[in-house]
Amino acid sequence: MSKNENLHKRMSANDEQSYSKRLANDKQSNKYIDINLVNALESVIYKNGGASNEDMIRWFNQGFTFCEYPKFGLKQCSGGPCGILAAIQAELIQYLFFEFYSDYIDDINNLDIDSEFVDIALAKAITSIILRVSSNNTVNVAIYNENDLLDNINNLNQCNLMIISCDNDDELFETIFNYLFKFKSPLGCIIVLLSIILTKGIDNIRNDMDIPTNTLIGQYGHCTQELINLLLTGVASSNVQDGNSSFDGSAELLKGIEKNPKIGYLTHLESLRLCQVGRYYKVPELPIWVVGSSSHFSVLFSQDRKCNEETKDEKMFYDLLRVFQLHDSDRCGFIASSALQTILSEIGLVDLCNNDIDLARLRGHLQVDGEIIIWSTFWVNISKLLSGESLDSLITIDFEKFAVDTNNEQVRFRSDSDVARELQAEYDNNQNNANLFKPINNNPINNKSNNSLKRERSDSDVARELQAKWSNEDNDNIYNLDFVQSEPDTAVKLQFNDEIANKQPETFNVTMYYFNGFSIAGRLPKLLKFIMKIRISTITIGVPVFSDNQEMLLGNNICPIEEVIRTRWPGATIDWLGNDLPSID
């Protein structure tokens, strides 16, 4: 903590300068935002994006203020700016619990955090997000020039804004820390948003979007996906999947996430099948996620990095799936076999894709009718190749499936009918050896009269007798299941003790926290601790796995936050430790 104490002392010394003196110095080297720039800013922020003047009033009245409990929790007093608050909150948590308090804390609820360090973490969080969008050495901070703010501000012309340019990270942090009281004022969210835009550049933001006329604030004053992505990744892309993809085979790109960010993102919309969040967002660098619902943003986090780790097989699975889906733009679960060579090059199997003979052999092994390759077949085989298995061993022919005549004049693959006939002959031979076809004298089917000629029972006769016997047994054993425990005949023994079927999934427990800062109509911000039991991934090289995670839909009567959690950890179970279920809205 000594490093942070020294930092705080230095910041306190800087803060002893009078506000008027700092502002006077800033006026000499910086500029005010003119009307033309204001119009351009309003256009990319909210104009024609669905937000009304009343929606924007809420934005112009939301600063970065802390709640009484937890002391590091940012409080939201009205709807609208929750996205930018959640992003700053996630960054603040990163600095507090992965830098300042780097040792594991058993219960964060019991931690008495010094408010001075919380202020430093807030300044660092704002600094981090502004730097994330910067593409050069110069970053810009927007501040307002008036101490007494007007009531009901709903546009930038009323703010008397000024730009402060900073040439390095330290200068940016000191500027934000010195003016932190302005970021805590009602204009706090707006000046952070302006600083991000002025640093990134309006044209660069529009180029990031699928549709350049989109805005960062949408209907009802909610943050759009473009703004959330800009805050978390530095790029104002419009979607949440890994990488870019096309829609319905068109040339238009749906721009997504290009790499793992520091802070992740999960959304309830995925559990409703309205979108699919990519692996980059689900497995960020740190176990911290902004959580989105249809109308709100909050934060989920843990100090235990284990919850965010991937096995080697799991990482290979999602890396291959990501490449596969780049060529499966409609997410149908298959690709054209003609794309195989490109995919092999993209995943590093360069020697194989450059060998025409081996490429043709592999393509023939993978493709099905229609010259397509299905995901499960692709994963099973390509995962083996990436694990060191040779192409020859992958395409080994099972010669027992072939029938060869005694003169070696003809070779053909045995059909299903051939196999069925062989199995029937083997079965008949076993039955004859057991004398199961011995005539039964008292059976009216086999003895039409006492003097009639006995005949061998047909398959239909046997079936009727067995059905009658089973019916009697069912009647006698309605409440007696002892017959199920009898040992089956070894020739037809079922896998009652199958190791995989009977084995319970391996799990481990992780302490998690969920924070929702919404404070309105008697509702208070809340930090909730809970225990999550996570199933260890069963993804295995060479074993078929669905490309889409169906398990997250399993389970009834679970609350929305649990549905969100299962989009990241399928099959996870939650112990809320006796607390009321939290709301994600």
Side-chain angles (χ1 to χ4, degrees):
M1 297 288 290
S2 58
K3 176 182 177 181
N4 297 322
E5 289 173 354
N6 291 334
L7 175 63
H8 178 255
K9 290 179 180 179
R10 182 163 58 89
M11 292 296 100
S12 298
N14 290 338
D15 199 40
E16 290 176 358
Q17 301 179 60
S18 67
Y19 163 65
S20 58
K21 182 177 179 180
R22 292 199 308 270
L23 190 60
N25 292 335
D26 291 334
K27 285 182 178 180
Q28 296 175 5
S29 57
N30 299 287
K31 62 180 181 179
Y32 285 93
I33 298 178
D34 60 30
I35 186 63
N36 293 326
L37 182 54
V38 165
N39 291 336
L41 288 168
E42 288 185 338
S43 176
V44 74
I45 292 174
Y46 72 95
K47 284 290 183 67
N48 300 318
S52 65
N53 288 337
E54 290 75 16
D55 295 330
M56 293 311 301
I57 287 176
R58 296 196 296 271
W59 271 85
F60 284 91
N61 284 276
Q62 178 65 64
F64 296 97
T65 58
F66 294 105
C67 51
E68 294 183 7
Y69 175 80
K71 290 184 177 179
F72 62 86
L74 292 172
K75 179 170 61 176
Q76 181 182 353
C77 300
S78 58
C82 50
I84 195 167
L85 287 168
I88 296 291
Q89 181 73 74
E91 292 284 346
L92 189 151
I93 287 170
Q94 183 267 139
Y95 282 108
L96 281 178
F97 301 115
F98 290 89
E99 289 194 18
F100 291 169
Y101 298 94
S102 56
D103 295 335
Y104 183 80
I105 301 171
D106 183 60
D107 192 343
I108 291 176
N109 287 286
N110 298 329
L111 181 65
D112 185 17
I113 301 179
D114 191 328
S115 60
E116 295 173 341
F117 287 115
V118 174
D119 281 348
I120 294 174
L122 175 59
K124 279 182 166 288
I126 296 172
T127 300
S128 178
I129 286 183
I130 296 176
L131 288 174
R132 183 171 297 143
V133 305
S134 174
S135 58
N136 52 51
N137 294 328
T138 301
V139 292
N140 296 310
V141 179
I143 62 168
Y144 57 89
N145 188 24
E146 293 179 354
N147 290 322
D148 299 324
L149 298 176
L150 300 174
D151 293 332
N152 298 324
I153 294 177
N154 62 10
N155 66 72
L156 299 179
N157 283 316
Q158 298 172 311
C159 298
N160 196 12
L161 295 164
M162 183 175 66
I163 303 174
I164 300 176
S165 296
C166 304
D167 295 328
N168 55 64
D169 299 2
D170 291 339
E171 185 179 343
L172 174 62
F173 172 72
E174 291 190 15
T175 299
I176 291 174
F177 191 85
N178 287 337
Y179 288 110
L180 196 60
F181 68 96
K182 287 184 175 290
F183 291 94
K184 290 183 175 183
S185 74
L187 287 180
C189 283
I190 280 293
I191 61 177
V192 166
L193 179 56
L194 290 173
S195 300
I196 291 170
I197 298 172
L198 292 170
T199 297
K200 172 84 172 180
I202 295 175
D203 291 340
N204 291 331
I205 289 175
R206 293 197 181 281
N207 290 335
D208 288 344
M209 300 174 174
D210 287 352
I211 303 174
T213 55
N214 284 351
T215 56
L216 299 176
I217 298 176
Q219 193 173 22
Y220 309 119
H222 294 163
C223 296
T224 62
Q225 191 64 56
E226 285 86 351
L227 178 52
I228 295 298
N229 290 348
L230 180 62
L231 294 166
L232 298 181
T233 71
V235 180
S237 55
S238 301
N239 306 283
V240 294
Q241 83 279 355
D242 290 345
N244 300 332
S245 62
S246 61
F247 177 73
D248 197 23
S250 68
E252 297 294 329
L253 285 180
L254 301 178
K255 299 174 183 177
I257 310 304
E258 294 297 334
K259 62 180 181 180
N260 293 83
K262 181 186 296 183
I263 307 297
Y265 176 73
L266 304 172
T267 175
H268 190 227
L269 299 181
E270 180 172 10
S271 65
L272 300 176
R273 294 292 184 178
L274 298 178
C275 71
Q276 185 171 0
V277 179
R279 203 65 183 175
Y280 287 146
Y281 256 156
K282 288 184 177 179
V283 189
E285 293 179 10
L286 296 172
I288 308 172
W289 295 265
V290 170
V291 175
S293 72
S294 59
S295 60
H296 189 53
F297 296 96
S298 47
V299 180
L300 175 74
F301 69 99
S302 175
Q303 278 194 296
D304 192 344
R305 294 174 184 261
K306 187 178 179 181
C307 70
N308 201 38
E309 294 176 351
E310 289 183 302
T311 65
K312 178 181 178 182
D313 292 0
E314 193 177 9
K315 188 177 187 306
M316 181 188 292
F317 174 83
Y318 287 107
D319 286 345
L320 284 180
L321 180 60
R322 186 178 299 117
V323 176
F324 186 91
Q325 290 185 336
L326 290 177
H327 300 269
D328 176 24
S329 57
D330 295 330
R331 299 297 192 268
C332 297
F334 63 85
I335 59 171
S337 61
S338 58
L340 181 61
Q341 184 174 18
T342 302
I343 290 179
L344 293 177
S345 176
E346 291 172 349
I347 63 177
L349 294 175
V350 179
D351 292 341
L352 183 57
C353 74
N354 291 334
N355 188 313
D356 293 340
I357 296 177
D358 286 346
L359 178 63
R361 292 173 64 204
L362 180 60
R363 182 183 288 117
H365 180 67
L366 297 179
Q367 70 181 10
V368 296
D369 291 345
E371 296 186 347
I372 61 173
I373 298 174
I374 299 172
W375 160 252
S376 59
T377 304
F378 177 86
W379 158 251
V380 168
N381 290 275
I382 301 302
S383 64
K384 291 180 179 179
L385 289 175
L386 288 173
S387 300
E389 189 166 332
S390 68
L391 180 62
D392 290 336
S393 63
L394 196 68
I395 314 181
T396 299
I397 300 174
D398 185 0
F399 287 99
E400 293 181 358
K401 295 181 179 180
F402 284 80
V404 184
D405 68 1
T406 55
N407 296 323
N408 289 326
E409 294 178 354
Q410 182 181 10
V411 180
R412 65 178 178 84
F413 190 84
R414 293 186 299 161
S415 66
D416 291 342
S417 299
D418 295 335
V419 175
R421 282 192 291 270
E422 292 172 13
L423 290 174
Q424 182 63 50
E426 182 179 353
Y427 175 80
D428 291 343
N429 184 55
N430 291 337
Q431 296 290 63
N432 287 331
N433 292 338
N435 295 320
L436 294 180
F437 289 102
K438 187 179 297 182
I440 301 177
N441 293 332
N442 61 354
N443 190 314
I445 297 177
N446 291 329
N447 298 279
K448 294 182 180 179
S449 67
N450 291 336
N451 298 324
S452 64
L453 181 64
K454 297 181 178 60
R455 66 172 177 83
E456 187 176 279
R457 293 180 298 163
S458 67
D459 291 344
S460 299
D461 297 336
V462 175
R464 280 192 290 269
E465 290 175 17
L466 290 174
Q467 182 61 54
K469 180 180 179 181
W470 290 339
S471 297
N472 291 333
E473 289 178 350
D474 288 341
N475 293 332
D476 294 338
N477 293 285
I478 294 177
Y479 301 104
N480 182 7
L481 301 180
D482 291 342
F483 67 97
V484 176
Q485 301 174 1
S486 60
E487 187 72 12
D489 184 81
T490 55
V492 291
K493 183 175 181 179
L494 301 177
Q495 298 295 325
F496 286 117
N497 296 313
D498 184 84
E499 180 180 356
I500 296 177
N502 290 331
K503 185 177 181 180
Q504 295 297 319
E506 296 183 28
T507 61
F508 62 93
N509 291 343
V510 174
T511 300
M512 303 286 293
Y513 295 89
Y514 175 70
F515 177 73
N516 191 332
F518 206 34
S519 177
I520 190 172
R523 172 175 162 180
L524 297 176
K526 192 171 185 179
L527 175 67
L528 196 60
K529 175 184 176 181
F530 62 94
I531 304 299
M532 179 170 65
K533 180 178 289 186
I534 301 175
R535 289 186 356 187
I536 295 177
S537 173
T538 57
I539 292 176
T540 306
I541 289 174
V543 177
V545 183
F546 287 114
S547 61
D548 195 10
N549 212 340
Q550 300 292 336
E551 290 183 281
M552 64 184 181
L553 298 179
L554 298 179
N556 296 317
N557 301 320
I558 62 176
C559 65
I561 183 61
E562 291 184 357
E563 293 178 334
V564 173
I565 287 171
R566 287 190 177 186
T567 65
R568 169 60 180 88
W569 299 278
T573 56
I574 308 300
D575 179 1
W576 293 106
L577 304 177
N579 296 304
D580 294 335
L581 297 179
S583 170
I584 60 174
D585 294 318

